[in-house]
Amino acid sequence: MPNPCQHLRAVVFDWAGTTIDFGSRAPTAVFQEIFRRQGIEVTEGQAREPMGRAKRDHIAAVAAMPSIAEAWEAKFGRPCEEADIDGMYEQFLPLQKETLKGHSRLIPGAAEAVDRCRAMGLKIGSTTGYTRELMEVVGADAAAQGYVPDCILTADDAPRGRPAPYLLFEVAERLDRYPMWTFVKVDDTPIGIEAGRNAGCWTVGVTRTGNGVGLSEAQMAEADESEVRERCEQAGRRLTAAGAHFLVESVAEIPELVERIDGMYDRGERPFEALG
């Protein structure tokens, strides 16, 4: 039985790439497909770059990339407009819902890590760029595998998505836990880390299982370990640049890290004074 936390009060996990869907594979192919239907080719790297945003915002961010905007104007003779983004978003939702059915498997160690955090007296929150409708699929699949957060907040639950801190503030209200420096936000995207910093939380970036590396378990098993290591280091640099206080390769490492952070207070260290 782990020791109860004396200072921290909650952990807030992201979903794809953090607790489910090793490599955050589900959204990427769908973003590529909806642009392909418009006759515009989007690379996997371009599709992944805005990951963590609300999905309509994500589509708009891809459309605004210089090479994509140029290709769009060359094909249609005009810039991509709000109506175009709305149309792609309407296509995105049913495609993503179908894709999620095969991409909601828990990342190894996730359920056990959450159980250990709860045993330390921590509440478990979660936030996502998925909509409420999509999370009905994901949440049910996760529950069947033993993962049920104390609250699930989606892109529909705040006036603005990440990097705005509002979803995290709403989590604090739902969990009835405060202040925000007693929260640990765990995310595999830079924009999720930015949201955590904007809310005043501890932030932990996830590398190996996340969007920044982008490999499924099967792909990782076949990949050269030096290539995987380089991808993890690159992902870590982006997460650190976004403000991550700590990095882990997998959510399975979170309980030990939570204990470490909680112990910092006993040594007289403070979150943002200590780490800048």
Side-chain angles (χ1 to χ4, degrees), residues 64-124:
M65 292 176 180
S67 62
I68 305 301
E70 182 179 345
W72 188 284
E73 191 148 4
K75 180 172 180 59
F76 296 104
R78 58 171 177 78
C80 183
E81 299 171 351
E82 291 296 310
D84 300 313
I85 294 168
D86 288 337
M88 286 189 284
Y89 183 58
E90 288 177 6
Q91 295 178 50
F92 171 87
L93 289 173
L95 277 172
Q96 185 69 92
K97 191 171 185 177
E98 184 64 29
T99 302
L100 285 173
K101 295 176 182 177
H103 290 84
S104 295
R105 181 181 174 189
L106 285 186
I107 286 169
E112 295 80 2
V114 167
D115 288 344
R116 288 181 62 190
C117 287
R118 279 203 171 106
M120 287 186 267
L122 298 170
K123 288 287 191 177
I124 306 299

Side-chain angles (χ1 to χ4, degrees), residues 1 17 28 50 105 138 167 177 223 244 271:
M1 176 71 68
T28 308
R105 181 181 174 189
V138 175
L167 276 175
R177 291 291 186 269

Side-chain angles (χ1 to χ4, degrees), residues 10 20 22 24 28 55-56 63 69 77 81 89 99-100 104 131 143 163 174 180 189 194 211 216 227 229 232 239 254:
I20 63 163
F22 198 113
S24 192
T28 308
K55 300 315 175 192
R56 188 190 183 283
E81 299 171 351
Y89 183 58
T99 302
L100 285 173
S104 295
T131 64
R174 300 277 183 96
M180 297 307 297
T189 64
E194 289 178 36
N211 178 70
S216 68
E227 177 191 348
R229 177 57 52 192
C232 286
L239 292 163
I254 290 299

